[in-house]
Amino acid sequence: VEAGITCRMEVEKGLDDKKENEEHAKESHSDNVGSRTLAFPSISTADFQFDLDRASDIIVDTAADFLQKFDNVRLVLVDLSEKSRILSLVKQKTSKKRIDSSRFVTFVGDITQLHTKGGLQCSVIANAANWRLKPGGGGVNAAIFNAAGESLQHATKKCADALRPGTSVVVPLPSVSPLHQREGVTHVIHVLGPNMNPMRPDYLKNDYTKGSKILHEAYNSLFENFASIVQ
Ligand code: AR6
């Protein structure tokens, strides 16, 4: 790790650790909530084929726990389509829980264009990464590495060269990156979720006991890493 670059990686942790519409997410202009906002995709539910109903429970539970511990932060779950099933499941389940709807929102849009296209300032974004932390592949990983340019690859290499499922790593995004300049993203947190796709590494063979534990750990790791940036 070179001087001047602060990478944060999750240490191993046990299980014990632990519209509602888009309007809420628009800036209030009164404070810089954008600098305390994490935008994240639904980890593992597309290419990694994790069950959406189970994933939505885990997202809502881990977000609720996190928001109880930290006042001054906002979480935005992002997906590309109005028809996103994970967004509607999460919305439904959030409305049944006591979660402050201004601090946990869902948003339809491209996570690499939240500011310029969505009018949403989010200084930290999460990536659903692969274990090698390689660009490409598809999904949100390809979108983020493409939008951020080569400097994200270099910055990522300085932080880590691999991830275990259920862990995450914070990468400070160099100010030369277009994603930093245009969208105001200062940090990317790579997260590796559980894999339920037989064509990908660490396939869990439909073991949702393991898979759910790993997805919990992945979100807890993501949120704690986010907290460590904004504290
Ligand atoms: N903006 C917002 N959300 C997006 C975007 C985007 N630009 N692109 C996709 N999503 P996935 P995984 C949503 O497949 O299941 C990669 O190739 C998408 O609709 O990206 O964790 C990696 O290299 C879904 O809700 O991630 C890994 O090998 C969510 O992002 C593997 O796929 C996650 O979908 C990871 O698979």
Side-chain angles (χ1 to χ4, degrees), residues 112-132:
T112 66
Q113 300 189 307
L114 290 173
H115 182 56
T116 51
K117 290 262 173 75
L120 193 64
Q121 188 65 52
C122 303
S123 63
V124 184
I125 65 172
N127 176 31
N130 51 67
W131 74 279
R132 286 175 196 273

Side-chain angles (χ1 to χ4, degrees), residues 41-49 78-80 84 86 109-112 128-130 134 136-143 193 200:
S42 170
I43 306 297
S44 290
T45 56
D47 191 47
F48 278 178
Q49 300 178 5
V78 184
D79 200 358
L80 287 168
S84 164
I86 191 75
D110 183 333
I111 202 164
T112 66
N130 51 67
K134 290 285 190 229
V140 73
N141 183 70
R200 299 283 178 267

Side-chain angles (χ1 to χ4, degrees), residues 26 35 62 66 95 121 133 135 148 159 163 186 188 198 210 225 229:
K26 295 267 155 61
S35 67
T62 52
F66 175 69
S95 67
Q121 188 65 52
L133 297 166
C159 292
L163 276 186
T186 61
V188 173
K210 253 191 210 154
N225 262 329
I229 295 168

